[in-house]
Amino acid sequence: MQPATQQIDTSFDSIIDELVWRGLISVSTDLDALRSDLAAGPVKYYCGFDPTAGSLHLGHLVQLLLMRRLQLAGNVPYALVGGATGLIGDPRPTAERTLNSRDQVAQWVTQLQAQVSGYLSDEGDNAVRLVNNLDWTSQLSAIDFLRDIGKNFRVGAMLAKDAVSARLKSDAGISYTEFSYQVLQANDFLELFRREGVTLQSGGQDQWGNLVGGVDLIRRVERASVHALGSPLITNSDGTKFGKSEGNAIWIDPELTSPYAFYQFWLNTDDADVIARLKVFTFLTREEITEYERLVAEEPFRRAAQRRLAFEVTAIAHGASQANAVIAASEALFGQGDLATLDAPTLAAAVDELPHADVEIGTPLSAIGVETELFRSAGEARRAISQGGLYLNNVKVDDADAKLSADDLLNGGFALLRRGKKTLAGIRVNTGDTPGLRSGF
RNA sequence: GGCGGGUUACCCAAGCGGCCAAAGGGAUCUGACUGUAAAUCAGCCGGCGUAGCCUUCGCAGGUUCGAAUCCUGCACCCGCCA
């Protein structure tokens, strides 16, 4: 199975029209002005990613794909990783951030740059440029900052920004450090405008205040009119937060969220959301997505749209071969066939995709469940078993004290433990070929 | 610097000497129904575990037979005044 080619949909007159159709623009500066600038020739644009963790997550993926679409339309992307802004911290609506060490932030910058460059082409005239705002911020003295930059900002306007006013109203208040964040980000836009001629910044809707901060600053000091695009926060139709599974973020780093878990996340997309997700997260054309819209309406039980979505996004993030491997594993594990009929290599590959444990015959199933993180504690495991929520090789486990026996092993010495309907873990048993010595070291 | 208010389990939030492992809501989780969906209903929801025990209510001490609840000190947060 091959993923869709990354391309723009030529049935649209302008890339802007495609972005609007995909639901990627919720707020913007003058769209018609931007449309004509884009029609006149390649536009240089940027989006910033602050290093607040060692990996980007699905919220960032929206921005990366928005950037990619603009790049496919011939424009020049500048991917900014905020080595400076990451040291300050964007005000969250709820509470003050804990500052991370400089070493930590520097390390995250390196990691995020590597991730970001995987989503944007580095070939041709409009290859991606990686920039770091620490390059122009680290040498700035407090006096320069206050005289040259700060003078352009009115406190009244700064206080009016949603991010700041929300915090002022909350119990947490806001530090001067975080209050200053918007100045740094506005200055980034100005620097990129001056140095590189960047005239468009995109970002999430929650960044809108910061985006227009840059636009205003450039208008004020350079007398130039530049653009900003804000994409909507992706929300689930049932009101829960998008991009979380069991309360944990879905990361694009395969070490943090396995490709299998990543694929399963998308596969479980709600019918009510799946078309919107195809628009945002895949390169399928309008025509193809319209067809899936029909399929969801007429035969939702086949879940064709979810399957395609899961495959496409997994391929974008982890590559086509990994996406196909994960599909094969999912089909083996969720297929109708008897697990006992699966051959050892198929099982081995499937177990490899799952959290798994190497254990010995006689280990209590509850302990295996804890080791594979199916459960947080033995008590939770016992509780689940008593509620009928644990299965060994698709057979419900009745006894909270049940242990793994040799009869439970499938081909190749594997077994499968399942919590609830769809959370799986693999069990591998060392079949005793190795000497049973437990020499001290 | 002064005065007042606050810090409870994943989140919000009650409790104000024993009936408190701690109300209520949300989230997560499990079951039924299903399409590895949604909605709905039911259960669970600190740890170990048959009873029972252990660790928790910002931190450290103290009073008491007994403290999340009272006292002292400390830290942090919010507001008003200077």
Side-chain angles (χ1 to χ4, degrees):
Chain A
M1 202 169 167
Q2 282 301 307
T5 307
Q6 297 196 4
Q7 59 187 357
I8 57 170
D9 186 337
T10 49
S11 73
F12 291 96
D13 293 336
S14 160
I15 180 66
I16 291 297
D17 295 325
E18 176 171 354
L19 295 179
V20 168
W21 174 75
R22 288 188 184 273
L24 281 167
I25 300 179
S26 65
V27 279
S28 64
T29 49
D30 189 342
L31 263 195
D32 289 332
L34 175 56
R35 212 182 255 112
S36 57
D37 275 10
L38 286 163
V43 163
K44 295 176 176 178
Y45 63 100
Y46 98 96
C47 177
F49 302 89
D50 272 359
T52 54
S55 173
L56 300 175
H57 53 66
L58 294 185
H60 300 115
L61 186 57
V62 176
Q63 302 307 322
L64 287 169
L65 293 177
L66 172 62
M67 290 186 86
R68 177 62 180 144
R69 292 181 207 283
L70 283 165
Q71 184 182 35
L72 286 165
N75 302 292
V76 188
Y78 284 76
L80 182 151
V81 175
T85 36
L87 290 169
I88 301 305
D90 183 22
R92 282 185 297 196
T94 46
E96 190 80 11
R97 290 178 188 272
T98 307
L99 292 177
N100 296 303
S101 74
R102 288 166 193 262
D103 287 349
Q104 178 72 83
V105 171
Q107 189 196 331
W108 286 342
V109 166
T110 308
Q111 290 171 230
L112 296 198
Q113 282 178 332
Q115 285 190 343
V116 163
S117 49
Y119 289 80
L120 295 160
S121 169
D122 58 1
E123 291 173 2
D125 293 341
N126 65 336
V128 61
R129 273 77 161 170
L130 290 179
V131 290
N132 183 346
N133 54 18
L134 196 60
D135 292 345
W136 54 82
T137 310
S138 61
Q139 300 308 314
L140 206 57
S141 73
I143 296 297
D144 291 341
F145 176 76
L146 292 172
R147 285 180 65 93
D148 300 341
I149 302 170
K151 201 72 171 169
N152 295 302
F153 288 82
R154 302 274 90 194
V155 169
M158 293 174 73
L159 289 171
K161 306 276 187 195
D162 283 353
V164 173
S165 73
R167 282 282 292 282
L168 286 173
K169 279 183 226 149
S170 80
D171 288 347
I174 186 168
S175 67
Y176 183 67
T177 304
E178 289 192 5
F179 176 63
S180 312
Y181 179 92
Q182 54 179 299
V183 177
L184 287 181
Q185 191 172 323
N187 187 54
D188 287 345
F189 200 171
L190 177 61
E191 286 289 338
L192 286 171
F193 175 80
R194 283 176 170 162
R195 292 162 179 245
E196 306 283 342
V198 170
T199 55
L200 167 65
Q201 182 182 185
S202 62
Q205 188 174 29
D206 57 336
Q207 292 293 310
W208 186 242
N210 292 324
L211 304 190
V212 294
V215 171
D216 287 342
L217 180 63
I218 291 170
R219 179 181 299 115
R220 189 166 296 122
V221 306
E222 297 290 334
R223 306 274 169 88
S225 178
V226 295
H227 312 283
L229 286 179
S231 56
L233 243 53
I234 309 288
T235 54
N236 290 335
S237 56
D238 61 5
T240 56
K241 250 192 185 144
F242 167 75
K244 303 259 175 164
S245 169
E246 297 179 27
N248 300 313
I250 305 292
W251 303 97
I252 64 176
D253 179 347
E255 297 294 316
L256 297 176
T257 300
S258 74
Y260 170 81
F262 190 88
Y263 176 84
Q264 288 289 324
F265 168 80
W266 291 104
L267 192 60
N268 281 298
T269 300
D270 201 319
D271 291 359
D273 297 320
V274 70
I275 296 303
R277 300 288 180 268
L278 284 170
K279 289 178 179 175
V280 171
F281 290 100
T282 75
F283 289 93
L284 300 191
T285 62
R286 171 161 55 176
E287 192 182 351
E288 290 171 301
I289 292 175
T290 304
E291 173 63 8
Y292 278 110
E293 203 162 3
R294 187 182 67 79
L295 291 174
V296 172
E298 291 177 8
E299 41 183 36
F301 50 90
R302 290 189 195 283
R303 304 187 320 129
Q306 279 89 341
R307 289 177 205 285
R308 186 66 187 272
L309 172 69
F311 170 70
E312 292 291 338
V313 191
T314 306
I316 288 169
H318 302 303
S321 65
Q322 184 65 263
N324 280 304
V326 153
I327 288 176
S330 296
E331 283 175 355
L333 298 171
F334 284 99
Q336 298 305 310
D338 188 349
L339 287 176
T341 64
L342 290 177
D343 57 85
T346 303
L347 269 171
V351 165
D352 213 44
E353 299 290 341
L354 301 171
H356 52 264
D358 295 291
V359 302
E360 294 176 0
I361 298 296
T363 309
L365 297 181
S366 57
I368 300 173
V370 173
E371 187 174 341
T372 53
E373 297 184 345
L374 239 37
F375 305 108
R376 276 188 296 271
S377 68
E380 190 174 278
R382 301 182 75 87
R383 198 181 300 134
I385 293 170
S386 71
Q387 293 187 130
L390 185 70
Y391 302 79
L392 177 64
N393 297 330
N394 288 345
V395 178
K396 185 177 286 187
V397 175
D398 303 310
D399 178 8
D401 297 316
K403 294 175 172 58
L404 184 68
S405 85
D407 298 340
D408 297 326
L409 298 183
L410 304 167
N411 292 327
F414 297 101
L416 289 166
L417 209 53
R418 187 176 95 224
R419 188 200 71 201
K421 287 195 178 101
K422 53 198 180 192
T423 311
L424 285 152
I427 300 173
R428 277 197 308 221
V429 173
N430 246 331
T431 41
D433 297 338
T434 51
L437 294 176
R438 289 200 178 185
S439 47
F441 292 90

